[in-house]
Amino acid sequence: MGADSGRLLNALVAAVVARGVDPARLLAAAQVEREQLGAPDAELPTLLQQRLWLEAPRLTNDDAFGLHLGETLQPHDAGGLGFAVRSSATLGEAYARIARYLRVVHPEAGLEVVEAGLRALVRHVPPASANPPRHAVEFTLCVLHQVGRT
């Protein structure tokens, strides 16, 4: 059972609300109790996270929901991780910090950073046993792109 940042999940709910959907409707569709999202460091089982990621695009009728959410977030929105990313001397260091942090907040997800000379490959590596929702993966990759641009 993985845990994700309550801050991110609350941002997901806020994005749904900004698109005119009642948050109670999202939470009911995903079978999540409001209390489960309360604190910024709240932990939510992976199955419930996946339900939120599946229901948000459906209820907002936004087939690019993960990308749109990723576009709105900035490194400073990520608390301690955002500070660590902004304090990195290089982009490679920033991505390496994100990769380490991702395993802490979501043990079932993975990010690989492979450097080869002046090039680097950043790859999202979901576990073989999981089938992460497309919008969650697109969100992650969009955030990595935003970090690179910043």
Side-chain angles (χ1 to χ4, degrees):
M1 175 162 77
D4 206 336
S5 167
R7 181 176 286 132
L8 168 59
L9 297 174
N10 282 301
L12 182 149
V13 172
V16 170
V17 169
R19 289 167 175 82
V21 176
D22 181 349
R25 187 172 166 216
L26 169 66
L27 297 176
Q31 301 173 349
V32 173
E33 299 294 327
R34 183 67 191 149
E35 298 77 38
Q36 291 176 288
L37 295 179
D41 59 349
E43 294 187 359
L44 193 65
T46 299
L47 177 62
L48 298 183
Q49 294 175 44
Q50 289 179 340
R51 287 182 190 158
L52 286 170
W53 280 109
L54 292 171
E55 294 299 331
R58 184 183 70 78
L59 293 174
T60 60
N61 199 32
D62 182 356
D63 194 45
F65 181 84
L67 294 174
H68 292 145
L69 180 59
E71 289 173 336
T72 67
L73 298 181
Q74 299 298 318
H76 63 269
D77 294 332
L81 175 62
F83 178 77
V85 167
R86 290 189 316 273
S87 301
S88 299
T90 66
L91 181 58
E93 184 179 314
Y95 284 154
R97 287 178 175 179
I98 292 170
R100 281 192 305 273
Y101 177 79
L102 186 59
R103 285 276 185 210
V104 171
V105 298
H106 205 316
E108 297 158 356
L111 189 68
E112 276 184 359
V113 181
V114 180
E115 295 185 36
L118 295 177
R119 292 182 174 210
L121 171 69
V122 179
R123 185 172 63 180
H124 184 260
V125 184
S129 63
N131 187 16
R134 183 190 110 212
H135 296 280
V137 173
E138 289 177 356
F139 166 80
T140 301
L141 296 174
C142 186
V143 167
L144 292 172
H145 176 74
Q146 292 289 81
V147 168
R149 288 181 61 192
T150 301

